[in-house]
Amino acid sequence: MKQSKMFIPTLREVPNDADSKSHQLLLKAGMIKQIASGIYSYLPISKRVLNKIEAIVREEMEAIDGIEILMPALQPSELWQESGRWPSYGAELMRMTDRHGREFALGPTHEEIITSLVRDELKSYKKLPVTLFQIQNKFRDEKRPRFGLLRGREFIMKDAYSFHASEESLDATYQDMYRAYSNIFSRVNLKFRPVIADSGAIGGSHTHEFMALAEIGEDTIAYTDGSDYAANIEKAEVVYTPDVQHTEEQPLEKIHTPGVKTAQQLADLLGRRLDEIVKSMIVKVDDRFVMFLLRGHHELNDVKVKSYFGTEYVELATEAEIEGIMNAKPGSLGPVGVDKIEIYADYSVQDINNLAVGANETEYHYINANLNRDFTVTAFGDFRFITEGEPAADGSGPVKFAEGIEVGQVFKLGTKYSEAMKATFLDEQGKARPMIMGCYGIGVSRTLSAVIEQHHDDNGIIWPKSITPFDLHIISVNPKQEAQRQLADELYATFSKDYEVLYDDRTERAGVKFNDADLIGVPLRILVGKNAADGIVEVKVRKTGESFDVNIGELKAEIDSLYDTLD
Ligand SMILES: O=C(C[C@@H]1CCCCN1)Cn1cnc2cc(Cl)c(F)cc2c1=O
Ligand SMILES: [Mg+2]
Ligand SMILES: [Mg+2]
């Protein structure tokens, strides 16, 4: 492709609204243009990379008998009424009405559509299992779109759905997908980790997220070097090992604590460690309020609370709600004398006694509060986030933390949608049974960004060979020089036979062309410059920056062998 005919609006300066490295580079390399918050046009360089990522995804899906279809983005609300999800999503679900006043959603995902499609077509166990997938734009009205393509409101997803007559069959497909995802993320040259994850609102039991490791990642992974254990921190189980440090029970004592609002301030006032304080939090679970007790140095894990109570509706109570229930401000809450709401406590609260807790009176606290004497707990449980260094659930050693970008997720869905939508099949005994489902997503546009996050330097992107927009970048340094332009034209014609070539034939200054080439990030570059008349060109490897002169007689062999060494 001649760059004089291309559309790559590179930028000189860093756009100030870019809030991540990949977002900056996508803009500087002229790969995307924002049309509205979280909504982008993919320009030619991006489109070429997306085509390659999608080709790899298709190959791996088809290798495990995935069949490609394309479903509509417009989804009739009736199907979401059937699945019961129409009322359960808020502003994130983009809704609209058509000219007849009928309600639709712009599809954020396609469980309802695919289930209605399959229930009409596949009636017998003989037709199962089947795995259908699509690659399509999804719409989710994120409250805070950010990081360019990493969290957009319209994005490209590969979503696959599988239908089974048995759990074993679902298991087999789940494993196939798990391996296919590992292949895909390896082939696009991403450093990634599959992590045990929480299935959240989607239901089902078993799910893994595929995390691309990157500082900018919004997810935190708890992993160990001792095994392939890795879990989303929302899910990482805390192995409770009792570490009881009880002392002689002391009499309960109320103390005036002006200005004390946090566990740290209470610890400082009492001259105790933070972990010797027990903090009390009021959480709204569904439509009731519940108190949670945690050690001062731990944090409440809302995802664990959701899965413990089996609901998505878990929110911290507001200050007004707290004052309404407890007649005290959030900084002075405690379990003593609380009988209107249930109290749950993290396991490790039972390790200490003579507790310092709020007195449910603003600016008053108790010391020496003791379980069963001064307050009771409905149940102890694992309600907190694991902290770095604590033992992993599989006993493989202390967990370490890393940031990750969720680029894929595989779910065992079960029969949540097939039951709700009566997608049944006739089993061997002719009995109608709900199909057992799995669903599997890859963020295709998010994967493009994740690759940039992991493959760049200060001058721009460095594309892995597998998804690079072009293989070779030929630059005629000064096309006004007849010898240079002629040789560059010839090399473009020759190399285009075996490689995808971007030919910078523009009459821009050399510096501009080199800057653009560094930004765009094609892995190999041929500079046709002042030595063209002597049949010498310069070859440059984008990743290492190394460059050397090559006689055009050896150029093809040199490029072929160099290209093979690239990753
Ligand atoms: O999408 C999934 C599960 C899997 C992921 C892989 C591909 C198939 N679906 C979960 N999820 C996430 N955000 C959503 C946002 C909105 Cl607004 C919605 F209405 C529904 C969903 C929703 O269901
Ligand atoms: Mg997540
Ligand atoms: Mg997820």
Side-chain angles (χ1 to χ4, degrees):
M1 194 75 73
K2 289 188 174 180
Q3 219 159 318
S4 59
K5 302 275 184 273
M6 256 294 226
F7 174 41
I8 312 176
T10 53
L11 303 176
R12 284 285 146 270
E13 66 298 326
V14 177
N16 52 26
D17 62 342
D19 47 9
S20 70
K21 194 65 191 156
S22 56
H23 189 191
Q24 277 173 24
L25 289 173
L26 282 162
L27 292 166
K28 285 186 76 175
M31 288 180 64
I32 60 171
K33 278 287 175 214
Q34 177 172 311
I35 198 76
S37 160
I39 302 171
Y40 296 89
S41 298
Y42 301 103
L43 304 185
I45 295 289
S46 287
K47 184 57 184 152
R48 292 178 73 94
V49 176
L50 287 170
N51 289 347
K52 295 205 173 169
I53 295 173
E54 290 170 11
I56 290 170
V57 168
R58 278 195 180 87
E59 258 173 56
E60 293 294 338
M61 286 297 107
E62 286 164 5
I64 57 169
D65 302 329
I67 307 160
E68 186 164 10
I69 59 172
L70 182 59
M71 289 180 267
L74 284 171
Q75 305 191 8
S77 61
E78 290 76 6
L79 291 175
W80 285 67
Q81 299 283 12
E82 277 191 59
S83 69
R85 291 213 289 180
W86 186 253
S88 50
Y89 281 90
E92 196 188 349
L93 180 60
M94 299 191 90
R95 303 162 198 253
M96 56 188 289
T97 48
D98 70 4
R99 60 190 307 163
H100 309 293
R102 289 195 203 97
E103 288 189 293
F104 288 79
L106 276 178
T109 181
H110 281 67
E111 279 81 7
E112 284 79 1
I113 304 294
I114 194 74
T115 305
S116 73
L117 177 72
V118 165
R119 74 178 168 194
D120 299 342
E121 303 305 326
L122 301 176
K123 297 307 239 181
S124 155
Y125 73 99
K126 292 188 189 107
K127 295 274 183 62
L128 300 179
V130 67
T131 300
L132 301 165
F133 76 93
Q134 65 173 349
I135 299 177
Q136 182 215 46
N137 281 20
K138 293 281 186 282
F139 302 83
R140 293 179 185 178
D141 200 352
E142 295 282 349
K143 193 185 284 183
R144 247 189 344 277
R146 56 188 190 148
F147 302 161
L149 302 183
L150 286 179
R151 182 169 290 279
R153 293 196 289 168
E154 178 173 355
F155 56 94
I156 303 168
M157 184 198 279
K158 181 285 300 176
D159 44 325
Y161 305 85
S162 64
F163 297 84
H164 308 268
S166 70
E167 287 295 340
E168 296 72 30
S169 166
L170 168 61
D171 268 353
T173 298
Y174 188 91
Q175 293 312 321
D176 287 348
M177 280 285 176
Y178 189 99
R179 271 190 301 277
Y181 276 41
S182 300
N183 295 347
I184 289 165
F185 296 123
S186 303
R187 290 178 63 184
V188 300
N189 209 307
L190 268 181
K191 264 162 56 66
F192 71 94
R193 272 183 183 267
V195 304
I196 302 163
D198 179 75
S199 50
I202 190 77
S205 55
H206 206 92
T207 172
H208 283 84
E209 285 168 338
F210 285 75
M211 295 290 184
L213 302 180
E215 295 286 301
I216 196 76
E218 291 179 341
D219 285 294
T220 301
I221 307 161
Y223 71 95
T224 63
D225 295 327
S227 76
D228 60 3
Y229 175 84
N232 188 314
I233 195 170
E234 295 168 341
K235 179 83 180 179
E237 187 193 335
V238 173
V239 179
Y240 172 55
T241 37
D243 175 15
V244 181
Q245 302 154 5
H246 286 193
T247 55
E248 176 76 26
E249 270 198 8
Q250 302 300 321
L252 186 68
E253 194 184 329
K254 189 189 240 184
I255 51 174
H256 186 212
T257 51
V260 167
K261 288 190 174 30
T262 67
Q264 190 57 59
Q265 288 167 335
L266 183 59
D268 296 345
L269 180 87
L270 299 172
R272 294 189 188 187
R273 292 193 317 273
L274 185 58
D275 68 285
E276 291 178 304
I277 304 298
V278 166
K279 56 191 179 189
S280 308
M281 313 166 83
I282 307 271
V283 177
K284 193 170 182 187
V285 176
D286 281 323
D287 51 6
R288 68 189 175 115
F289 291 97
V290 171
M291 178 180 273
F292 281 91
L293 305 182
L294 284 159
R295 300 279 289 280
H297 60 314
H298 290 154
E299 296 305 324
L300 185 68
N301 181 330
D302 59 320
V303 174
K304 285 185 180 176
V305 172
K306 289 178 181 176
S307 86
Y308 184 89
F309 289 95
T311 174
E312 277 302 293
Y313 294 106
V314 167
E315 293 287 336
L316 275 181
T318 63
E319 195 156 324
E321 287 167 333
I322 289 168
E323 294 216 50
I325 301 161
M326 309 297 292
N327 300 318
K329 286 195 183 306
S332 309
L333 299 181
V336 177
V338 172
D339 50 16
K340 275 186 297 184
I341 57 176
E342 286 191 310
I343 301 175
Y344 289 82
D346 182 73
Y347 286 124
S348 57
V349 167
Q350 52 196 347
D351 284 344
I352 54 174
N353 69 347
N354 290 320
L355 306 180
V357 293
N360 296 322
E361 201 178 320
T362 305
E363 305 213 319
Y364 280 88
H365 284 77
Y366 283 122
I367 54 174
N368 307 328
N370 281 289
L371 178 67
N372 298 327
R373 184 189 73 184
D374 307 315
F375 65 94
T376 54
V377 161
T378 304
F380 286 93
D382 173 13
F383 294 118
R384 68 181 173 84
F385 283 106
I386 197 168
T387 55
E388 220 165 356
E390 285 194 278
D394 73 345
S396 60
V399 296
K400 293 178 179 171
F401 285 179
E403 266 57 57
I405 300 169
E406 178 189 335
V407 286
Q409 184 156 10
V410 291
F411 291 82
K412 285 183 184 172
L413 264 186
T415 56
K416 168 181 167 133
Y417 292 90
S418 48
E419 265 167 23
M421 301 179 70
K422 300 182 182 41
T424 59
F425 69 98
L426 292 178
D427 66 13
E428 296 90 325
Q429 289 73 37
K431 184 166 168 298
R433 304 233 313 274
M435 296 180 193
I436 298 167
M437 291 172 61
C439 66
Y440 321 88
I442 286 181
V444 171
S445 43
R446 187 179 267 186
T447 294
L448 183 153
S449 273
V451 169
I452 297 175
E453 286 291 339
Q454 291 188 2
H455 295 274
H456 69 265
D457 62 14
D458 291 343
N459 303 322
I461 300 166
I462 303 171
W463 290 110
K465 189 162 70 174
S466 60
I467 58 169
T468 182
F470 291 94
D471 305 315
L472 294 183
H473 202 160
I474 297 179
I475 300 179
S476 70
V477 180
N478 181 354
K480 293 196 182 75
Q481 293 260 341
E482 185 51 29
Q484 284 190 32
R485 193 188 50 67
Q486 192 161 1
L487 177 56
D489 286 355
E490 280 162 27
L491 294 179
Y492 174 51
T494 310
F495 280 95
S496 293
K497 293 192 192 79
D498 302 316
Y499 293 95
E500 291 173 340
V501 182
L502 178 62
Y503 174 26
D504 193 348
D505 59 342
R506 297 174 298 164
T507 54
E508 303 278 343
R509 282 185 301 102
V512 168
K513 297 167 92 162
F514 296 156
N515 269 341
D516 286 354
D518 282 344
L519 280 172
I520 296 165
V522 171
L524 269 186
R525 192 179 306 171
I526 299 173
L527 294 178
V528 181
K530 56 188 183 312
N531 301 335
D534 309 328
I536 308 277
V537 294
E538 184 187 336
V539 173
K540 180 165 185 171
V541 179
R542 174 67 185 83
K543 181 168 185 168
T544 60
E546 67 180 314
S547 67
F548 38 88
D549 287 348
V550 177
N551 187 300
I552 51 172
E554 290 96 49
L555 184 58
K556 182 74 171 63
E558 187 62 38
I559 289 291
D560 290 349
S561 70
L562 258 181
Y563 189 79
D564 288 347
T565 65
L566 292 175
D567 62 10

